Amino acid sequence: MALLVLLLAAVLLAFAAVGKISTSGLTTILMAATVVGSTLLQSPGHVDPPPYKDVGVFDIVLSFLTAGLALGHGVHLFIMELAFQRRGV
């Protein structure tokens, strides 16, 4: 289930790269990726957590990379908006 939520966040991030997405879309991407990565990293519900498999480590890394990309994209959109306001466009 966590991988499906992460893939949904990645698809939303792809839509954000193609066109301008709203702030709520970027927030959804950032929160989904961060929650998935944090949940998998802490492995809740286990008294003695099992060792991570390669796919689990890949999912954790991919989720935090997706969160970083969403944050970077949000900062980029903010900077572009400031530049457009300065030009009077």
Side-chain angles (χ1 to χ4, degrees):
M1 185 63 182
L3 185 58
L4 292 177
V5 172
L6 180 60
L7 290 176
L8 175 67
V11 167
L12 287 173
L13 189 60
F15 283 129
V18 173
K20 189 172 181 179
I21 195 167
S22 67
T23 307
S24 62
L26 286 175
T27 305
T28 303
I29 294 168
L30 183 63
M31 292 304 294
T34 304
V35 165
V36 168
S38 298
T39 301
L40 291 175
L41 190 60
Q42 295 176 3
S43 58
H46 294 287
V47 176
D48 192 21
Y52 292 113
K53 306 269 185 196
D54 291 338
V55 176
V57 172
F58 176 73
D59 196 20
I60 292 168
V61 170
L62 187 64
S63 65
F64 285 125
L65 284 175
T66 303
L69 283 173
L71 185 63
H73 188 67
V75 169
H76 180 254
L77 287 178
F78 180 72
I79 290 172
M80 286 183 59
E81 186 68 31
L82 286 178
F84 285 139
Q85 286 178 359
R86 284 188 175 178
R87 288 189 217 158
V89 174

